[in-house]
Amino acid sequence: MGFLSVLSMAHQMIRERVQPGDIVIDATAGNGVDTRFLAELVGPRGVVYAFDIQEAAITATRKRLEPMEEQLLLPDLRLVFDSHEVMDRHVEQDHVGRVAVAMFNLGYLPGADTSVITKTDSSIAAIEAAVSLLKPGGIVTCVLYPGHPGGGDEAEAVLQWAQALSSAEGQAVLYRMAQKPAAPFLVAIERSKKQ
């Protein structure tokens, strides 16, 4: 048995922290895979926010969750057609400080225009917003893809941001293949339990 992929590791970290009824965020809805994963974890009593700037991503996410809706298993789903960097404008005030997890899968939408990518400045702003929305002990997972044009700069900037994070605000961990610098890797941030 080999090591877990970065996505599987992110899912494992999240599974350990999310309970039915929790509030969660998919900061990059994409094709809806992570949104569905989160929706299954929180169940019909939970709340899932999913953000994307591409209408095709919102449509694909809605379609991926239709079976859950048909089975009456869908949580309170908030599909937001806007940049993740302004997520704090869309998250209800009474949900602030109560978010269990926020997932990021940066890069581009698989199967779509690969020139439309997440950008360093908006990604850093979004991660900062996500951390501010977390409950104490909540986590942000961020899968980074240094292998595509623009991805290396974004991955390095996120890594530097995480390394500079004040320990009073949270702690960061890195999950990476040491011999493959261009391979995707995971940065996870746990919000300090002392707030």
Side-chain angles (χ1 to χ4, degrees):
M1 185 170 117
F3 290 115
L4 292 175
S5 72
V6 291
L7 288 170
S8 295
M9 178 59 82
H11 283 196
Q12 180 174 314
M13 289 177 170
I14 287 165
R15 232 183 254 106
E16 292 171 354
R17 287 168 172 81
V18 174
Q19 301 296 317
D22 274 347
I23 302 162
V24 295
I25 296 172
D26 183 354
T28 49
N31 286 314
V33 174
D34 289 335
T35 308
R36 172 124 186 200
F37 167 71
L38 292 169
E40 289 171 350
L41 289 177
V42 301
R45 294 181 298 118
V47 179
V48 178
Y49 290 90
F51 295 85
D52 213 290
I53 60 166
Q54 295 183 77
E55 199 168 342
I58 297 297
T59 300
T61 299
R62 183 176 286 113
K63 185 165 182 59
R64 186 171 299 275
L65 276 81
E66 280 176 0
M68 290 185 71
E69 186 174 22
E70 290 165 5
Q71 298 168 16
L72 304 176
L73 298 173
L74 194 65
D76 180 356
L77 179 64
R78 319 278 180 96
L79 295 177
V80 183
F81 180 42
D82 203 350
S83 174
H84 54 202
E85 74 181 305
V86 295
M87 72 173 66
D88 53 349
R89 294 184 202 161
H90 295 281
V91 172
E92 282 185 24
Q93 189 58 41
D94 67 333
H95 292 167
V96 173
R98 295 179 48 216
V99 174
V101 300
M103 292 188 77
F104 288 79
N105 200 351
L106 300 178
Y108 55 85
L109 176 63
D113 181 355
T114 58
S115 70
V116 179
I117 61 172
T118 53
K119 305 285 187 185
T120 302
D121 290 345
S122 62
S123 293
I124 297 288
I127 294 166
E128 288 174 346
V131 170
S132 76
L133 296 168
L134 292 176
K135 65 183 179 181
I139 64 166
V140 170
T141 62
C142 189
V143 176
L144 300 146
Y145 297 86
H148 69 84
D153 291 340
E154 181 179 50
E156 184 59 31
V158 170
L159 183 56
Q160 287 179 11
W161 177 87
Q163 289 170 334
L165 184 68
S166 158
S167 59
E169 191 169 358
Q171 58 182 341
V173 295
L174 175 65
Y175 183 74
R176 179 177 215 169
M177 298 294 288
Q179 302 101 325
K180 298 180 180 179
F185 64 94
L186 169 67
V187 171
I189 300 106
E190 180 182 52
R191 186 159 190 198
S192 173
K193 292 179 181 170
K194 297 177 182 176
Q195 292 295 318

